[in-house]
Amino acid sequence: MALTGLEIYMLLPRTNCGDCGVPTCLAFAMKVASKQASFDECPHVTDEAKEKLGAAGAPPQKLVTIGVEKPLKIGNETVMFRHDEKFYNPCGIAVLVRDTDDVARKAQKVKALSFERIGQVIEVDTVALECASGDGETMKAAATELNQSLAGMPMVLIADSSELLAASAGALAASRPLLWERGGPSDALIELAASSGLPLVVEGDLEKCAADAQKAKDAGIEELVLCPGDVGPKEGLQFLTITRRAATQKSYRPLGYPSLIRVTSEDPVAQSLQACHYVYKYAGIVIMDTDQPEYILAPLVARQSIYIDPQRPVQVEAKIYEVNEPDEKSPFLITTNFSLSYYSVFGEVDGSRAPARILAVDTQGTSVLTAWAADAFGPEQIKKAIEKSGVFDQLAEGYRRPVIPGLVAVISGELSEEIGQEVIVGPQEASGLPRFLKNEWPKLVG
Amino acid sequence: MAVPDVKENFSGTINEVTIGATSEEGGTRTSTVTIGGETGYPMLGFEAEYPHPPAFALEISTAGVEGWHDECRKHLADVAGDLGAWAAKCEEWGADMICLCLDAAHPDNEGRSPQQCADDVKRVLEATGLPLLVWGTDVDEVDNNVLPKCTQAAAGENCLFGTAKEDNYRTIAASCLADNHKVLAEAPSDINLSKQLHILLRDVGVDLADMVMHPTTGALGFGMVYIYTTIERGRIAALSGDRLLQQPVLVNIGKEIGRVKEAVSPAQADPQWGSHEVRAPLWESASAISYVESGAELLVLRNPEALRQAKTAIESMWP
Ligand code: SF4
């Protein structure tokens, strides 16, 4: 039974002591209602209240934390479609390393898989180490080295038996790795995870995962990750969909955990496309067997996209941005405050090393064409934004000529009348800016 | 351990739409394409029916490949000047359909006349046995002059013609009705706008079953996710029985790829992103896969390598 925030609030002590990590009981109740916090995170609730709340008091899918320094938090998802709320915790994208690889070199490669895009860092944030040597000590040495050179990047330790995992798990316990015994977990590994407090993978079909999850939970392990084993993209999607539905729609606890999936294809293109498939459809961690950026970039952008909050357009502050130290004779470009529009322009200007000013007009985070069609990026709005920014005071006579996106070339005449200055029509796409700034702009200003 | 049954059953089905007509059906196509027919969310073989995998069209343009990005152009150098050869090549590359864009009719280009455009359509129909999607210029007056000639030139071939928009649908609807073609209905990323347009088209006589919808398109990382969500919303309504949203979905990806820096920036400029030769087609195929995840059934691409990649991936995923 789902309770409203207010109903949950009534069950709390209402002392606003803050011990739950949220300043007030009401705020905490709202978090529980939206399934973002568990009722037991308030240390002061009575048993009676707990009983009343029952299953509604805990998120349907457990939050699992891997790593310590820059932890990967997965799970706690509540919906099947992002527009129903949003997807909360971006999945981990992991690169597979074998303990027989040149680990130092691999670590360098993994480190390089970090990029900046529309003002955010998108990167491989997890590493998976597989025991291919068949020797626990070799794996431990590799795990230790990887952990050091990747500064504690969250790690999945993979081996065929708990004996092989034991040494690495012990050595890295403080870094909170995720333990994955292939086909497991065996009783021995459950014991190991329980005593060391480490998260654990349960692998197999749905029934086995549910049974093993129950068993591990009974042994005191709270944080589990479900895995269907080495399956193709059809079975993979099926597993990820059913586990997510069982948790979020049926509150079925034994499958109330995030999932991990390893891309099985050997062809790197297929790897990349299958990784995207799993990023969209419900994976908690996707393990890829490639360290080449050209194959990893698409899944990283897919993840960045699907975890955007659909209720809140991603926007930048509407103001003047100065790039590469512009002076009074530098070009003055206009775009919207939709972050994708702004960062496309910014990226091109920055990349071309040309000094310029960019005015991000407040279109409430909509793109150039959408905003124009909605009358939010017309001559009047742009004029107002220019006036408000005071940018003309920073520009010399003859340089107060805004460059507008080529897509809205039709407004140039009217805008020119409004502001009493010549308006320059820029390229249709941001990608045309480097050439424009280099070749056309100098000609235009003589 | 018994796991709860989470299967979902729906009352609605996505319309099946066939494009192309063989000689038995009064046309000259050697193959036809049928899309749609799904009874559930994308690719869930354990609970629904998926009678037709997504279809892929390769785009060819009457204006050639001017402005197309280099990694795509390099495949087309030999054929881009000859529509017929280009279309035949697309068939060889494994396209299910040809998307003929009448860009040359655009006033910014040469302003090709309606008769010339109709001849272009004929030439392509002669050069390939694949079904045809004909895409206008997005300039209303031009489309209204050009498209009727083209639907006539392709009469009997059961093509898909686009695009019909809220403020310009009458002429194209009438021409498609007269010459028995399917209509591509375009509304910008909003299911209510799509519904409205479908009602308008229905009111002038186009059967709801003869429409394909285009919610507009953005590349992966370039607005894709907004449209992804629009398609998902539409799909949920369609499967729940909303007949105004049961039309299969087309996305036009090829031309969006040129906007994405990650896809077009050469390796010298952005070495951190790795091989450009890999990135360019992969961005296109990854965008295609993204849309299939949300429900799209007909995908228009430009790069033959992206076509190969996307088709291979779909084979491994489609139930
Ligand atoms: S710990 Fe409990 S009592 Fe204290 S503020 Fe949080 S919810 Fe209220």
Side-chain angles (χ1 to χ4, degrees), chain A residues 336-358:
Chain A
T336 78
N337 76 329
F338 177 39
S339 73
L340 191 56
S341 304
Y342 168 73
Y343 279 108
S344 301
V345 173
F346 169 80
E348 296 297 345
V349 175
D350 191 41
S352 68
R353 300 186 206 298
R357 288 182 181 79
I358 306 172

Side-chain angles (χ1 to χ4, degrees), chain A residues 12-13 15-20 25 28 42-44:
Chain A
L12 290 169
T15 54
N16 300 334
C17 71
D19 292 347
C20 54
C25 293
F28 177 71
C42 165
H44 311 297

Side-chain angles (χ1 to χ4, degrees), chain A residues 226-229 231-232 236-237 240 259-263 278 283 285-287:
Chain A
L226 312 170
C227 173
V231 298
L237 174 63
L240 294 166
S259 294
L260 168 154
I261 193 144
R262 177 165 160 174
V263 177
Y278 295 137
I285 298 177
V286 180
I287 301 178

Side-chain angles (χ1 to χ4, degrees), chain A residues 96-339:
Chain A
L96 182 69
V97 179
R98 295 173 181 80
D99 66 350
T100 47
D101 290 341
D102 178 345
V103 172
R105 206 174 144 266
K106 271 281 188 185
Q108 285 315 311
K109 290 264 200 177
V110 171
K111 249 192 226 166
L113 299 171
S114 176
F115 314 96
E116 211 186 302
R117 190 167 201 283
I118 48 169
Q120 293 175 347
V121 173
I122 59 171
E123 62 187 355
V124 165
D125 51 10
T126 312
V127 62
L129 177 67
E130 183 173 46
C131 180
S133 65
D135 176 50
E137 286 303 313
T138 306
M139 184 182 188
K140 175 180 153 186
T144 311
E145 183 172 1
L146 212 48
N147 190 43
Q148 258 164 21
S149 38
L150 292 175
M153 180 185 283
M155 199 183 297
V156 187
L157 294 170
I158 312 169
D160 286 334
S161 70
S162 64
E163 293 83 64
L164 289 175
L165 278 175
S168 319
L172 259 66
S175 301
R176 204 172 164 73
L178 172 65
L179 306 181
W180 181 9
E181 178 186 16
R182 294 311 313 265
S186 61
D187 292 345
L189 190 69
I190 291 182
E191 203 170 296
L192 175 71
S195 63
S196 54
L198 295 179
L200 189 63
V201 172
V202 296
E203 178 186 342
D205 60 21
L206 295 162
E207 289 73 25
K208 179 174 178 296
C209 279
D212 284 358
Q214 192 61 54
K215 197 158 126 191
K217 185 163 196 286
D218 293 344
I221 305 172
E222 291 289 332
E223 299 190 15
L224 298 169
V225 175
L226 312 170
C227 173
D230 296 329
V231 298
K234 283 180 220 180
E235 298 80 2
L237 174 63
Q238 175 162 332
F239 180 93
L240 294 166
T241 303
I242 293 177
T243 51
R244 176 90 151 238
R245 280 192 195 163
T248 59
Q249 297 174 353
K250 306 275 176 191
S251 297
Y252 180 64
R253 296 286 152 192
L255 293 179
Y257 303 96
S259 294
L260 168 154
I261 193 144
R262 177 165 160 174
V263 177
T264 48
S265 175
E266 271 166 30
D267 169 38
V269 167
Q271 286 240 358
S272 188
L273 297 177
Q274 289 178 17
C276 291
H277 175 62
Y278 295 137
V279 164
Y280 294 125
K281 294 290 168 78
Y282 316 133
I285 298 177
V286 180
I287 301 178
M288 295 179 72
D289 191 3
T290 172
D291 56 19
Q292 297 295 104
E294 57 269 37
Y295 300 109
I296 287 178
L297 208 47
L300 290 177
V301 173
R303 175 178 67 182
Q304 182 183 36
S305 307
I306 200 80
Y307 284 90
I308 290 172
D309 184 346
Q311 263 62 258
R312 256 191 289 169
V314 199
Q315 43 185 294
V316 297
E317 194 185 336
K319 60 167 194 176
I320 287 279
Y321 294 85
E322 301 196 338
V323 192
N324 300 326
E325 298 171 17
D327 60 21
E328 56 172 21
K329 295 185 170 176
S330 300
F332 164 45
L333 312 174
I334 292 188
T335 186
T336 78
N337 76 329
F338 177 39
S339 73

